[in-house]
Amino acid sequence: MTHSVTLVVVLAASLIAVASTTIVQDCGSKATVTEVRVSGCEVPPCLLKRGEDIVVEIDFENLKETTKSLTAKVHGNIGGIDIPWFGVDKDACNDLTVGDCPVDGTEKIYYSAGVPVLSSYPSVAVIVKWQLLTDNNENAACFVVPAQIV
């Protein structure tokens, strides 16, 4: 009976962990991206409420190179036009919760950034592209996700 209870607890914990992952499309990550989480969004399009902040988390490993820094580049694509997303700290090293800069190629990295959805943004469908760039301007991690600003 004890093994049954343990199995149920482990399975439940696994489902909770999986449920919090957001479905995104990779856009050329050099590292192995193990998980992306956008707060309040498991299945796109993610609803982004104007005047509120969201949290974006990216877990990755095996970059296969060392980089002194990571630069966050975020933009929204509306009708084919890329528009920079304001309020994201470009120095992604400031937002690492596991690991640090310089990033060793084998290191596990957990990145977590608060992102404002400004009240001035229009209510519109947008494709969000999030890049963490190495010193060589290559994608350490990169994803796109459809969203709706509401």
Side-chain angles (χ1 to χ4, degrees):
M1 175 103 166
T2 304
H3 293 300
S4 300
V5 172
T6 302
L7 180 60
V8 169
V9 170
V10 169
L11 287 174
S14 297
L15 289 174
I16 290 169
V18 170
S20 65
T21 300
T22 304
I23 298 170
V24 298
Q25 181 180 348
D26 188 270
C27 52
S29 300
K30 289 191 71 168
T32 302
V33 176
T34 54
E35 228 175 279
V36 173
R37 294 172 302 282
V38 177
S39 59
C41 180
E42 293 174 17
V43 179
C46 297
L47 297 180
L48 309 178
K49 295 181 182 176
R50 291 180 288 170
E52 295 184 8
D53 290 351
I54 59 168
V55 176
V56 173
E57 298 173 301
I58 307 170
D59 302 345
F60 64 95
E61 59 191 2
N62 298 325
L63 180 56
K64 300 180 183 82
E65 68 180 62
T66 299
T67 183
K68 293 179 186 173
S69 64
L70 287 171
T71 303
K73 181 178 178 185
V74 183
H75 63 265
N77 185 292
I78 301 171
I81 299 171
D82 290 335
I83 301 169
W85 201 287
F86 295 104
V88 177
D89 188 350
K90 289 184 181 185
D91 186 353
C93 295
N94 293 333
D95 294 316
L96 299 183
T97 58
V98 172
D100 58 5
C101 291
V103 175
D104 179 347
T106 60
E107 191 173 6
K108 285 188 179 186
I109 299 294
Y110 295 173
Y111 167 85
S112 179
V115 184
V117 181
L118 301 180
S119 298
S120 60
Y121 288 171
S123 180
V124 66
V126 60
I127 302 296
V128 178
K129 183 174 184 180
W130 200 289
Q131 298 169 275
L132 298 180
L133 300 169
T134 67
D135 293 332
N136 297 327
N137 208 36
E138 295 180 331
N139 289 323
C142 181
F143 73 88
V144 294
V145 64
Q148 177 71 41
I149 299 175
V150 294

